[in-house]
Amino acid sequence: PAPVQASAAGADGAELEGALRSAWSRLDAGAPWYGRRELARVRGMLAAFDGWVRSSRAEGLRLLAVEQPVQLDLAGDEPGGDGAGAVGPWLRLRGRVDRLEVDSAGRPVVVDVKTGRTAVSGRVAAGHPQLAVYQLAAALGAFGELLEPGARPGGARLVYLADQKADGQAKEPVQPPLDDTELARWEDVLRHCADETSGAQFIARIGPDCDRCPVRVACPVNGSGRQVTQP
């Protein structure tokens, strides 16, 4: 949300309150009682973010960039090609990281700020594909203009502002730094996903998000779905 972005940019308390009120005035929060409750919840999230910033500075993290664009180019043969190679990258991955930090060892740490109400477990975070791709991007030089040459990934983190510990601190599932073997495995996963989604056919598979997929009625793996070419 805008107030969190303002806090990340270093706004003081008065500026944060002004950003929050400005953002809130543009929202339709429904009934007054609900609006008051949600406003209090957002203020709690801002307090949790402020607490996380303080604790992470004490830990040794240092901010490099906020809302940092990232582009990862992978060279290789075009999917389904003849093996002769391609001119330029055949896979280009673009995104934006909430916060790019560096730890006390000079390693990049990507922080993804979440506003969801329930944090994932540490086990899920350890295998989190989004965090792994961020680490792969860092290892392959996607943040080269901000980091020392050859800097190895220092891990990645999810910071859940709405899901807090008993002391009010944001929950922070962590993905440990990936070694060369894990980085190579995730690069293979990324290339495999690109290969499967770039051809004339798309393989439908059952996954954890199927129950809320907006196109499940047109998906053949769903009980009520069907191919879009069927009547």
Side-chain angles (χ1 to χ4, degrees):
V4 171
Q5 293 175 353
S7 179
D12 60 25
E15 291 174 317
L16 284 177
E17 182 64 23
L20 177 58
R21 290 187 176 278
S22 175
W24 208 256
S25 67
R26 298 191 295 271
L27 297 176
D28 180 7
W33 66 268
Y34 181 78
R36 289 192 295 271
R37 189 184 74 176
E38 287 300 289
L39 181 58
R41 187 174 75 88
V42 173
R43 285 196 173 108
M45 292 167 62
L46 285 172
F49 180 76
D50 185 59
W52 176 84
V53 170
R54 290 197 305 271
S55 64
S56 62
R57 300 315 95 172
E59 178 189 340
L61 288 186
R62 176 171 55 87
L63 179 65
L64 289 183
V66 175
E67 291 290 312
Q68 173 65 26
V70 56
Q71 178 173 301
L72 175 60
D73 291 341
L74 295 180
D77 296 337
E78 292 284 356
D82 58 7
V87 177
W90 72 263
L91 173 59
R92 170 165 289 173
L93 187 69
R94 286 177 174 170
R96 188 178 297 272
V97 300
D98 289 342
R99 295 176 67 89
L100 179 62
E101 309 259 351
V102 64
D103 66 12
S104 57
R107 302 177 303 176
V109 178
V110 171
V111 179
D112 194 24
V113 180
K114 299 292 189 182
T115 57
R117 296 174 183 268
T118 305
V120 301
S121 67
R123 180 183 62 82
V124 171
H128 199 282
Q130 180 184 4
L131 297 184
V133 171
Y134 284 151
Q135 291 207 58
L136 176 63
L140 295 180
F143 304 113
E145 72 280 6
L146 297 172
L147 301 171
E148 293 294 329
R152 305 298 296 166
R157 309 180 182 194
L158 300 168
V159 178
Y160 282 84
L161 304 182
D163 192 357
Q164 302 169 6
K165 304 174 186 177
D167 60 359
Q169 293 294 308
K171 290 185 178 179
E172 186 184 15
V174 172
Q175 184 176 84
L178 300 181
D179 60 21
D180 289 342
T181 300
E182 281 294 294
L183 289 170
R185 184 178 72 83
W186 279 107
E187 182 175 348
D188 286 343
V189 169
L190 188 58
R191 290 178 179 274
H192 180 69
C193 290
D195 196 20
E196 286 203 334
T197 57
S198 60
Q201 293 183 326
F202 187 91
I203 300 174
R205 293 189 175 92
I206 296 174
D209 299 317
C210 284
D211 59 342
R212 54 181 178 270
C213 176
V215 295
R216 59 185 177 274
V217 295
C219 180
V221 300
N222 185 51
S224 61
R226 62 188 185 278
Q227 296 184 22
V228 294
T229 56
Q230 294 176 331

